[in-house]
Amino acid sequence: VIVYTALSALLLSILGGLFYVGFQTQAAAGGRDAATGAAMIVSNSLQAGVRKASRVQVTSTLLKARVARGTTDWQCVTWVLTADKKLKYKSSLAAITDTDYSSSTWTVLAVGASGGFSDSGAATVGPGLQVSYSLALVSGGITVPVVGTVTASARGTGSPESC
């Protein structure tokens, strides 16, 4: 009876350990998936927005672009990296002057973001202006880099003239 009890206790502790490792692995995979998903959203947003831009304004934490909507319309788009490590996005048919980034009018693209933006050092009026971004997104202890360069390639006149 003592032998059976000892073997049962050993078997239960092994099974418990396997379940624990399984839960840890699942949590790590969930964090990785969340960070990777956010990285895809951020990269797609930046690439699509800047590629269709005719005018760009860049600081280390702010990226504003005048982006083509179809063949004759324009909109202003802004991405901002906030102090609370969120990458936020806003678009408008008029110039974006709102700097209250805690406002609900800003869409959160990613949480746990750090890094920044830079431009090619040339003029802020494209086409040919290159914007680079180097961000790191952290979720569940997993860090995913989001690094890229995109070239503004739109041309045209219309309103708004600048964002």
Side-chain angles (χ1 to χ4, degrees):
V1 172
I2 296 175
V3 173
Y4 291 122
T5 305
L7 286 175
S8 295
L10 179 64
L11 182 61
L12 286 175
S13 65
I14 290 172
L15 285 174
L18 289 174
F19 279 121
Y20 177 76
V21 169
F23 288 132
Q24 294 290 358
T25 303
Q26 182 180 4
R32 184 198 64 233
D33 291 348
T36 302
M40 290 293 295
I41 290 169
V42 168
S43 183
N44 288 342
S45 175
L46 290 168
Q47 289 284 330
V50 175
R51 188 179 314 114
K52 297 186 298 184
S54 68
R55 183 180 299 266
V56 179
Q57 177 186 348
V58 182
T59 70
S60 62
T61 59
L62 182 80
L63 172 57
K64 287 187 172 190
R66 178 178 178 254
V67 177
R69 283 179 22 144
T71 57
T72 59
D73 289 335
W74 297 92
Q75 71 178 349
C76 293
V77 179
T78 300
W79 296 265
V80 63
L81 191 58
T82 63
D84 60 350
K85 297 194 178 276
K86 292 180 182 172
L87 182 64
K88 294 188 175 186
Y89 166 88
K90 185 174 189 175
S91 65
S92 173
L93 296 177
I96 298 172
T97 58
D98 179 12
T99 58
D100 179 13
Y101 305 126
S102 64
S103 163
S104 63
T105 60
W106 289 86
T107 302
V108 177
L109 293 180
V111 177
S114 61
F117 309 104
S118 63
D119 62 23
S120 59
T124 58
V125 179
L129 173 72
Q130 288 191 328
V131 174
S132 297
Y133 51 93
S134 179
L135 305 168
L137 306 181
V138 178
S139 178
I142 305 295
T143 302
V144 175
V146 183
V147 179
T149 300
V150 59
T151 302
S153 59
R155 298 175 189 210
T157 59
S159 180
E161 281 297 319
S162 66
C163 292

